[in-house]
Structures are given as C-alpha cells and as structure tokens.
Amino acid sequence: MTSSSLFPGSRPRQLLEIFSVSAKLGFTSFGGPIAHLGYFHNEYVKSRKWLDEKNYAELVALCQFLPGPASSQVGIGIGLRRGGLLGAVAAWIGFTLPSAAAMTLFALTLRGSDISGAAWLHGLKLTAVAVVAHAVWSMGRKLAAGPSRAAIAVFAAALTLLWPGAFGQVAAIAAAALAGLWLYRREADAPPPPGSPSYEPATPAARPPLPALRRRGAALSLALFAALLILLPLIAQRFPQAGGGALPLIDSFYRAGSLVFGGGQVVLPLLQSEVVPPGWVGEPDFLAGYGFVQAMPGPLFTFAAYLGAVKDGLSGALIATMAIFLPAFLLIVGALPFWSRLCRNANIQRALQGVNAAVVGILLAALYDPVWTSSVRTAGDFLLALLLFAMLAWWKMPPWTTVLAGAAGGMLLPLLGA
C-alpha cells in the first residue's frame, strides 16, 4: 500500500489471496469477537506476517473504540492495508459469507412455516437466554467493574427498559459518555478501549505510524457515514415505497449497525425494536434465529441476513446484510488515518469508559426483555437455561454445542413434564 493513495490498486491474485484467507477464517472462527481476534492474530500476524504486533494492537484498539462489529472491522482494516479498498471488500466478503449464507438458508427453510409451538424452537429461545446472560456476565466483569461503572450500567438498563427503542439506547450511551468524562476526570491515564488482554495497544510514543492514507478520502467516508445516518430515516419516511419498499429495511439495519457499541450481542435489542414491532419478523422467529446464529462461525451481525430473509427472502437477506455492515466499513476506512491522534486524547478515553459500562446495561435490559420474558415460563425452562449457561461460562464448551443442547433440551422438556 503506497503512502499517497487511500485506495491503491490491487492485483487479482492478491485480492484472491485476501478473500481465501478471510473465507477460511469465516468458516472456522467460532466463539465470538474476542475469540475472532485470537484467530486473526494467529493467521495475519504470526503465520502470514501481513502486519506486526504493534500495528495489529493499534488496529484492534481502533475497532474497539468504534461502534459496530469489532472483529469484522479488524478484518476490513487488514484487507484495506493489504490491498486497498478492494482488499477491504474481499476481506469482508470472505469473513461474512459463510455465516450469512447459512443464516439465509435457515430463514428460507423456515419461511412460511408455523414454528411458534415447536419444542426445539423453545429450546433455542432458552439458548438465547444463556448466551445473553453469559455476555452480560463476562462483559460486566470487564466493563462495569467498580461502584461507579456498575451505577452507569444500572442507569443505562433502566433508561433502556423505560424508554424502549433506538432513541433510549442512544440517550443512555450519550449520558454515559458525559458521566465518564465527569467521573474519571481526575484519572491520570484512562485505560484503553477493552480488547483481548494479549493485544493491549502500545503507549502512544511507541506506536508505529499507520500507512499514510489520504485524509480527504477518509473524511469523505466519515461524512457519508453521518449523512446516511441522518438522511436515511427522513427519506425512508417520506418515500417508503422507493426501491421496491427496500428503503425502510436499509434504514433500520444501517441504524442498527451504526449505533451498537460492544459487538454482536448488543445489537439484539436494537434489531428487536426495528423488526418485531412493525411485524417484519415475529418474536418466535426472531429468537429462533438469534439462537441459531450462536452456532455459526464468523460475525454475529450476520443475524441480519436471517432477519432480512424472513421478511423479504433472498433479496431481503442481501439488503439487510449490506446495510448493517456498511457503517462498519465506512467508519474503519474513515477513521484509520486519524486514530493515532485520537487515541492520545484522554477525554475520549474517559468518555469511552462510561459508554462501555452503558453497553453492559443495555445488554442487561435485553436479557430481561425480550429474551427472558418470552422464554422462561417454568422451573424446567430455568433449569435448562442454567445448564446452558454453565456450559458456556464454567465448562467453556463451544457455542455450537450449547445450541444443539438447547434444541435437544427443548424437545426433552415436554417429555419430562417440565
């Protein structure tokens, strides 16, 4: 990648290499975003040496700072550095395609079927309880430790439950950022954005520079991100039937991808508020897909492919997938050149501490509604959810085994009279 171009040329062989490596990761990267960072480190840093440890740590720190799917953004950033804009596209397609295709196929298989009373579906709902509870537990230990951060998390949960929808979450995040600025103003050095402990970013003085990308192109990418976030709701409301009725779908998934801090689990309440109230996706179908995506490798944001397919078939899957990942793409392309300066700003780091605690609260609210309220009805339900939680949190079993156990347990509960 040259120092004079944001979008350098890429040879077809290089693009094919980027795609094939990222596709291999897309087929094999189980375990969620933090696990994905470990897979990426082994493949891109240790094995292929496409970038060094310090550059990788800096890229991880940036992607943890931005909203959106952190692991996907790391992959996009590596593709951008390796092969320019086309390299970034190749890296995203490779990592996303396996899971998105499987989720689309699952949705098309179920589409038009009445699965509301299926026992295996109830088991997947209880799997979702365990998965979200595990995310709250593990994230809370890192991001909401201590009295002040726990208080921010509780406030964010309350605000999200009392003011449902995207606006309540945005208000909680904004309030938490202000709280972080005020509460941690006396801290000499705010901690860096959370990530895998093995990949803590180096001190600012030790950071090697990122490739010199054209800042004009980066600024254009950031401006496009903001313009779409502001204008899409207005255009979709004014012209709901434009593009064959696709504009509301694009608006909903683009907004979800733009406003999520904390990764795939936190997108659950945003997506639920976007697709269930308007009747695009029923609550049982929503939770069935959310349970199934836990067994998939690759990014959890491919849940959007399932939701889009339930609503509008294959075209809906394509639109929803591209819309939810587009903000991540625009942000990493736009922010990468400016990160070395931003990461030195202590105020940004202090605000981010509050935002991270709020993320835990938002996810806690999602654990209660819709996950718990629509799933746990009996003591048997609670015991199965507890067993599935133990498989994830204490026995460290792969997520796909939890999904299978949840589906099987759901079918077994009626036989036991539980």
Side-chain angles (χ1 to χ4, degrees), residues 284-368:
D285 289 338
F286 182 89
L287 290 174
Y290 187 73
F292 188 75
V293 77
Q294 308 305 320
M296 294 293 104
L300 288 173
F301 269 48
T302 55
F303 183 36
Y306 168 87
L307 297 174
V310 170
K311 181 182 183 295
D312 287 329
L314 183 59
S315 64
L318 292 172
I319 291 170
T321 302
M322 290 188 290
I324 201 170
F325 280 100
L326 180 58
F329 202 95
L330 294 174
L331 285 171
I332 193 65
V333 171
L336 193 56
F338 304 107
W339 175 237
S340 293
R341 179 178 298 177
L342 286 175
C343 65
R344 293 181 174 92
N345 190 311
N347 286 330
I348 289 178
Q349 299 296 342
R350 289 163 188 153
L352 189 60
Q353 290 183 72
V355 170
N356 287 333
V359 164
V360 177
I362 292 171
L363 193 57
L364 179 61
L367 174 60
Y368 172 71

Side-chain angles (χ1 to χ4, degrees), residues 92-121:
W92 171 72
I93 292 175
F95 186 59
T96 306
L97 183 60
S99 177
M103 293 304 299
T104 302
L105 182 61
F106 180 62
L108 295 178
T109 302
L110 297 181
R111 197 178 181 204
S113 303
D114 182 11
I115 60 170
S116 57
W120 62 267
L121 171 61

Side-chain angles (χ1 to χ4, degrees), residues 52-59 61 188-193 198-210 339-345 349:
D52 60 24
E53 296 278 356
K54 291 181 179 179
N55 279 329
Y56 182 74
E58 184 176 88
L59 182 58
D189 293 297
S198 302
Y199 313 130
E200 290 295 335
T203 59
R207 281 192 182 95
L210 290 168
W339 175 237
S340 293
R341 179 178 298 177
L342 286 175
C343 65
R344 293 181 174 92
N345 190 311
Q349 299 296 342

Side-chain angles (χ1 to χ4, degrees), residues 17 92 123 130 135 139 213 222 224 256 288 306 344:
E17 179 189 29
W92 171 72
M139 291 174 64
L213 306 176
L222 292 176
L224 181 59
Y306 168 87
R344 293 181 174 92

Side-chain angles (χ1 to χ4, degrees), residues 270-288:
L270 263 180
L271 288 179
Q272 192 272 345
S273 66
E274 293 290 344
V275 303
V276 174
W280 293 352
V281 178
E283 192 80 48
D285 289 338
F286 182 89
L287 290 174

